[in-house]
Amino acid sequence: MNTVTSAATPGPPRPATPPLATVLKALTLLDSLADATEPVRVSSLARAMGTSRAETHRQLVTLEAAGWMEQLPDGSYRLTLRPAHLGHAALRQAGIGERTAPLLERAARQAGEVVSIAVLDTDTARVVQRADPGRSLHATLLLGDRLSLTSSASGRLLAALCAQDITEPLRDRGIALPDADELGLINGTRWATSTDDEQDGIAALAVPLCRPGNQVVAALSVHGPRERITTADALAVLRPTAHEIEQLLRLDTSGALGLHG
């Protein structure tokens, strides 16, 4: 007699491993500290995080023991340089720095000014790579700097040219963006200038970096003294450089900025 064996009925899918709440809280605390422009006190962080002073203090002590921050004599806390090291390592592992550094360095020499790449990071544009021309500069733009979406060249460009499903949630949250006329102008020219340089005499101009399909993923900009930055000269350097970088850039399936091998 033949015996028929039926396939076992598959059970319910196993739940994904849940994240550790304590780690998420510590990382959120690090993000909050990264946004601060000066050392912060436990009470201020606790209010910003919506947690108790005791819990916030325990997190700070833990992060201090791990080398991520330090306590100053007045009791306030600030980040150490360990996060910066991690950021450099992330860029190196992604291949971004290695592949685009020669192009940025050449562009900086051609422009005689700082050249940088920035990406949209929540409600700001964050500098993820930079190069300088190898001489003393009046203008400073550091790796990791956050730039305004309403006044910086890179921020204004990304606010205007990034996909609406990225920028609309920012507007819904009340994040300030360039007005409709400015957005229309930037969409037409596909370049943007800074508007926050009246006092310090610093100017910047940015052009987009796109993946296939013309989707903007980053901004490439030149940054320097107003008297040395002209639209024609900046575009003459940035646009060819952007074209070369776009031959390398791609967006991988996880949504992270990567590079072709």
Side-chain angles (χ1 to χ4, degrees):
M1 183 175 70
N2 294 330
T3 302
V4 178
T5 304
S6 60
T9 302
R14 298 179 62 183
T17 303
L20 291 173
T22 53
V23 176
L24 289 177
K25 289 180 179 180
L27 293 173
T28 301
L29 183 66
L30 285 173
D31 280 339
S32 182
L33 281 161
D35 290 336
T37 57
E38 57 186 17
V40 294
R41 294 187 174 278
V42 178
S43 56
S44 298
L45 274 174
R47 285 194 299 271
M49 300 288 296
T51 56
S52 69
R53 191 180 186 281
E55 181 181 356
T56 302
H57 184 252
R58 285 196 299 271
Q59 291 172 335
L60 289 168
V61 169
T62 301
L63 290 169
E64 182 183 18
W68 287 83
M69 61 183 55
E70 59 184 350
Q71 185 178 30
L72 302 181
D74 66 357
S76 61
Y77 285 84
R78 69 181 179 189
L79 293 173
T80 65
L81 293 179
R82 189 181 182 96
H85 169 73
L86 193 67
H88 282 289
L91 290 175
R92 184 174 63 252
Q93 290 179 18
I96 295 173
E98 179 183 351
R99 294 285 185 93
T100 62
L103 300 178
L104 258 65
E105 290 166 1
R106 186 191 64 197
R109 290 193 301 271
Q110 291 173 340
E113 309 295 346
V114 172
V115 172
S116 69
I117 294 176
V119 297
L120 196 63
D121 183 8
T122 61
D123 57 353
T124 59
R126 185 185 289 273
V127 177
V128 295
Q129 194 171 356
R130 69 180 295 282
D132 61 58
R135 59 179 176 80
S136 178
L137 298 170
H138 172 59
T140 58
L141 185 68
L142 304 178
L143 194 67
D145 275 357
R146 290 191 172 203
L147 308 173
S148 166
L149 298 183
T150 58
S151 58
S152 73
S154 293
R156 283 158 45 80
L157 183 98
L158 293 171
L161 300 183
C162 279
Q164 284 193 348
D165 61 347
I166 296 175
T167 56
E168 281 304 315
L170 298 178
R171 194 181 300 278
D172 293 343
R173 287 166 45 204
I175 303 301
L177 298 174
D179 63 34
D181 289 341
E182 292 178 294
L183 294 176
L185 180 62
I186 295 168
N187 268 284
T189 62
R190 294 189 67 80
W191 53 266
T193 58
S194 57
T195 63
D196 58 356
D197 50 22
E198 297 296 334
Q199 298 298 320
D200 58 14
I202 301 301
L205 188 145
V207 300
L209 294 174
C210 305
R211 67 165 176 152
N214 210 33
Q215 183 173 351
V216 175
V217 295
L220 176 69
S221 70
V222 62
H223 179 88
R226 173 184 285 274
E227 65 271 14
R228 294 207 302 255
I229 300 292
T230 68
T231 300
D233 289 346
L235 292 176
V237 172
L238 294 179
R239 280 180 167 162
T241 304
H243 178 72
E244 291 183 83
I245 293 174
E246 286 171 346
Q247 306 310 304
L248 303 174
L249 289 177
R250 66 174 173 84
L251 207 63
D252 66 20
T253 55
S254 70
L257 195 65
L259 292 166
H260 284 299

